[in-house]
Amino acid sequence: MVRPRVLVVAGTHGNEINGPWLLDQWRQHPALIDSEGLDVQLAIGNPAACAKGRRYLDRDLNRSFHPDLHKEASESAAESDREMVQALELLKQFGPKGQTPCDLVVDLHSTTSAMGNCLVVYGRRPVDLALAALVQHRLGLPIYLHEADAAQQGFLAERWPCGLVIEVGPVPQNVRRSDIVLQTRLALEAVLAAITSVRDGSARYPDQVVIHLHLGSLDVPRRSSGDPDALVHPNLQGRDWQPLKAGDPLFIDAESNTVVFDGEDGLVPVFINEAAYAEKAIALSLTKRETWPLPKDWKEALAELLR
Amino acid sequence: MVRPRVLVVAGTHGNEINGPWLLDQWRQHPALIDSEGLDVQLAIGNPAACAKGRRYLDRDLNRSFHPDLHKEASESAAESDREMVQALELLKQFGPKGQTPCDLVVDLHSTTSAMGNCLVVYGRRPVDLALAALVQHRLGLPIYLHEADAAQQGFLAERWPCGLVIEVGPVPQNVRRSDIVLQTRLALEAVLAAITSVRDGSARYPDQVVIHLHLGSLDVPRRSSGDPDALVHPNLQGRDWQPLKAGDPLFIDAESNTVVFDGEDGLVPVFINEAAYAEKAIALSLTKRETWPLPKDWKEALAELLR
């Protein structure tokens, strides 16, 4: 077996159709993306949801990878929860102890928010952060570190020894755009090149990495019925990654009353007005931008994984 | 009964959520939109699809209003076709012979295409064209005249004596944006003001009206499996309403090969890369821009309807 083996997943959400098209074209034209001599496995995360053009059928597949959930699933009839079955199937096939065990996973997503081309990392695993730092050094992509959010757990990437999400937007659900496909491809190529550089000893790490730490999320104002009573303010729409200051407008209602930001100056909003997060009561998330020196043990951990 | 009675519908497609929010807010704040003394009835076209955030459940409601379909539906068990049941329900309640008969219908839609704020008219009924001309004179909105398309039939607006669609974009499905809501509201106010102006004799018609006549639609290139083998070209994306000339790129594949436009110079593309039309094998539609003088009988027909 050639190591490391890299799993590239697209269509974890069935209405994010740019990644799946890229993988489909890569299968048709193997020279399209240089796999750098790595053993790359391609998978559609949620084929049943993709066939219907829906984010998911029974539950969000990208919240279905928490080990505790799987313990429950194996004890109960999982037939009524198609995503739980699919999560277990992906692990059985490509998980670290699966039939074709993979060491790393890259999960391709898109968003209706103006996130540009960016990386999402779950928690502070040294291997994830080292790999993200290498990609940031190559392409300058912002990194969103999602952690410590009790309401959002069980992400796919967490179940492999190393895993990143590539997130590209804005693009509507169920729309393919050539610019979105191109950005996805550039980020994926940068990840594969970074992995190769660690393997062959040519990796050039930056001295520091810029991280956006997840702090929490805000919902739109709602009335007692639960119906939204305001919208994202036009001055905020499309301004992902741009620091807020106190008094900046966040929401606007039908009669033009605004709700303003009253938090700490400099917090950075992400995933502003993402279509799929309305059901999670998230109109945007807030992050804190920090610059971290790159510790030696991150690099060693990634080198060790890829040895 | 105050005449004319105007039906305003939103959420005919359950993932177009800006119109429904506008109606919800209008119900909460009756002063939000000046109904100009008209008897305005508000309806959610497809509440079950709206609840699920899906365009439709069993079939496109806005292709379910063909009288022939209803003949079939009444002869068969319609339980399995929820949109057919809903179409009949809307007609029973608000149709010209319904419980609360309405003379005109305004159907609020949104699109992922960069259509801006525009009107869609189905066929060449003088009353529709006269009303659209009045709105175009007020706001300058482009008019798309959809006709003679055997593959696309049974639109809601056709079943009332007079009916227009207000179509606003670009906005992703299941995303609310304040600019989209504002444009929808402006167009709706212009329609209501135009109706009132005909009633009170103050209507100011333009000498001519600019119409975009539907000629047909193009699909993306597909391989034999049916899978798309190319995407809308970035030079075309977002250029709805901008005339094409021979040689302009239409599509691009993963290896950057392009398909160019080889039709008549000056044809105008609309609904470029609309998410919901992929299943209808439509990547864009082509129209011919024509300027028509405004015949006297259009005005008389609308005055007669609103008398």
Side-chain angles (χ1 to χ4, degrees):
Chain A
M1 158 185 178
V2 181
R3 292 216 34 245
R5 194 182 269 144
V6 181
L7 174 63
V8 180
V9 183
T12 297
H13 294 134
N15 52 13
E16 299 176 5
I17 65 175
N18 288 270
W21 192 76
L22 179 63
L23 296 199
D24 177 59
Q25 289 294 308
W26 194 7
R27 282 198 177 103
Q28 299 290 317
H29 312 283
L32 188 65
I33 297 178
D34 185 356
S35 59
E36 308 259 356
L38 299 168
D39 179 355
V40 176
Q41 301 287 319
L42 307 184
I44 296 298
N46 198 340
C50 287
K52 293 192 180 248
R54 283 154 58 182
R55 183 175 173 93
Y56 57 81
L57 301 180
D58 297 320
R59 58 147 58 222
D60 191 333
L61 177 62
N62 204 28
R63 305 292 184 278
S64 302
F65 281 84
H66 198 288
D68 292 351
L69 287 173
H70 296 165
K71 215 172 292 166
E72 293 166 25
S74 59
E75 287 163 10
S76 66
E79 283 298 313
S80 62
D81 190 332
R82 286 166 283 186
E83 273 75 17
M84 198 68 79
V85 172
Q86 178 62 9
L88 292 168
E89 182 60 37
L90 285 168
L91 287 167
K92 190 173 142 197
Q93 195 168 358
F94 298 110
K97 294 176 181 169
Q99 292 154 358
T100 310
C102 295
D103 304 290
L104 303 94
V105 64
V106 187
D107 192 16
L108 308 181
H109 286 255
S110 63
T111 170
T112 64
S113 304
M115 292 289 276
N117 198 351
C118 70
L119 301 175
V120 185
V121 173
Y122 300 98
R124 304 192 184 197
R125 293 193 300 194
V127 287
D128 297 346
L129 292 165
L131 184 57
L134 280 170
V135 176
Q136 183 174 82
H137 197 41
R138 278 173 186 267
L139 284 188
L141 305 190
I143 298 169
Y144 173 36
L145 198 167
H146 195 277
E147 63 179 354
D149 185 340
Q152 304 294 329
Q153 302 262 335
F155 297 93
L156 180 148
E158 297 180 279
R159 292 299 292 279
W160 275 262
C162 177
L164 295 181
V165 158
I166 294 171
E167 185 81 64
V168 187
V171 64
Q173 297 172 340
N174 288 314
V175 168
R176 280 183 205 92
R177 283 183 59 129
S178 63
D179 53 350
I180 299 295
V181 170
L182 180 61
Q183 288 177 80
T184 307
R185 177 178 155 183
L186 288 173
L188 177 57
E189 287 172 340
V191 172
L192 298 176
I195 293 168
T196 303
S197 74
V198 174
R199 273 180 82 204
D200 68 15
S202 69
R204 294 182 52 218
Y205 283 96
D207 295 330
Q208 45 193 28
V209 60
V210 179
I211 301 277
H212 296 81
L213 290 173
H214 176 79
L215 298 182
S217 300
L218 301 179
D219 193 15
V220 290
R222 294 177 188 272
R223 57 177 187 271
S224 55
S225 63
D227 293 313
D229 232 358
L231 309 173
V232 167
H233 195 282
N235 288 12
L236 181 64
Q237 178 73 44
R239 304 285 176 90
D240 303 78
W241 304 113
Q242 298 186 31
L244 292 167
K245 52 183 197 307
D248 282 349
L250 295 178
F251 305 114
I252 186 166
D253 72 12
E255 292 171 311
S256 297
N257 303 302
T258 62
V259 175
V260 302
F261 177 63
D262 61 358
E264 183 186 339
D265 270 10
L267 294 188
V268 176
V270 296
F271 285 109
I272 299 167
N273 219 357
E274 156 57 36
Y277 291 176
E279 70 176 23
K280 303 180 198 291
I282 296 173
L284 67 150
S285 291
L286 291 171
T287 71
K288 192 172 165 71
R289 183 176 291 163
E290 293 190 350
T291 302
W292 294 355
L294 214 72
K296 194 162 158 245
D297 64 324
W298 289 9
K299 305 177 203 174
E300 288 170 354
L302 187 57
E304 175 66 27
L305 176 72
L306 301 184
R307 197 181 312 278
Chain B
M1 158 184 179
V2 181
R3 290 210 43 240
R5 193 183 269 143
V6 181
L7 175 63
V8 180
V9 183
T12 297
H13 294 135
N15 53 12
E16 299 176 5
I17 65 176
N18 288 271
W21 192 76
L22 179 63
L23 296 199
D24 177 58
Q25 289 294 308
W26 194 9
R27 283 199 177 103
Q28 299 290 315
H29 312 283
L32 188 65
I33 297 178
D34 185 356
S35 58
E36 308 260 355
L38 299 167
D39 179 356
V40 177
Q41 301 287 319
L42 307 184
I44 296 299
N46 198 339
C50 287
K52 294 193 179 247
R54 283 155 59 184
R55 184 175 173 92
Y56 57 81
L57 301 180
D58 297 320
R59 58 147 58 221
D60 191 333
L61 177 62
N62 203 28
R63 305 293 185 277
S64 303
F65 280 84
H66 198 288
D68 292 351
L69 288 173
H70 295 166
K71 215 172 293 167
E72 292 166 26
S74 59
E75 288 164 10
S76 66
E79 284 296 311
S80 62
D81 190 334
R82 287 165 283 186
E83 273 75 16
M84 198 66 81
V85 172
Q86 179 61 10
L88 292 168
E89 182 60 35
L90 284 168
L91 286 167
K92 191 173 142 197
Q93 195 169 355
F94 298 110
K97 293 175 181 169
Q99 292 154 357
T100 311
C102 294
D103 304 291
L104 304 94
V105 65
V106 187
D107 191 16
L108 307 181
H109 286 255
S110 64
T111 170
T112 65
S113 305
M115 292 290 276
N117 198 352
C118 69
L119 301 176
V120 185
V121 173
Y122 300 99
R124 304 192 184 198
R125 294 192 299 193
V127 286
D128 296 346
L129 292 165
L131 182 57
L134 279 171
V135 176
Q136 182 173 83
H137 197 42
R138 277 173 186 268
L139 284 188
L141 305 189
I143 298 168
Y144 174 36
L145 197 166
H146 195 277
E147 63 179 355
D149 185 339
Q152 304 295 331
Q153 302 260 334
F155 296 93
L156 179 149
E158 297 180 280
R159 291 300 290 279
W160 275 262
C162 178
L164 295 181
V165 158
I166 295 171
E167 185 80 65
V168 186
V171 64
Q173 297 171 341
N174 288 313
V175 168
R176 281 183 205 92
R177 284 182 58 129
S178 62
D179 53 350
I180 299 295
V181 171
L182 180 62
Q183 289 177 80
T184 307
R185 178 179 153 181
L186 287 172
L188 177 57
E189 287 172 340
V191 171
L192 297 176
I195 293 168
T196 302
S197 74
V198 174
R199 272 180 85 205
D200 69 14
S202 69
R204 292 182 53 218
Y205 282 97
D207 295 331
Q208 45 193 26
V209 59
V210 179
I211 301 276
H212 295 81
L213 290 173
H214 177 79
L215 298 181
S217 300
L218 300 179
D219 192 15
V220 290
R222 293 176 187 273
R223 56 178 188 272
S224 54
S225 63
D227 292 313
D229 232 358
L231 309 174
V232 168
H233 195 282
N235 289 12
L236 181 63
Q237 178 73 43
R239 303 284 176 92
D240 303 78
W241 304 114
Q242 298 186 31
L244 292 166
K245 53 184 198 302
D248 282 349
L250 295 178
F251 305 114
I252 186 166
D253 73 12
E255 293 171 310
S256 297
N257 304 303
T258 61
V259 175
V260 301
F261 177 64
D262 60 0
E264 182 187 338
D265 270 8
L267 294 189
V268 176
V270 295
F271 286 108
I272 299 168
N273 219 358
E274 157 57 36
Y277 291 176
E279 70 176 21
K280 303 180 198 291
I282 296 173
L284 67 149
S285 291
L286 291 172
T287 70
K288 192 172 166 72
R289 183 177 291 162
E290 294 190 350
T291 303
W292 295 354
L294 215 71
K296 194 162 159 244
D297 64 322
W298 290 9
K299 306 176 202 175
E300 288 170 354
L302 187 57
E304 175 66 26
L305 176 71
L306 302 184
R307 198 182 312 278

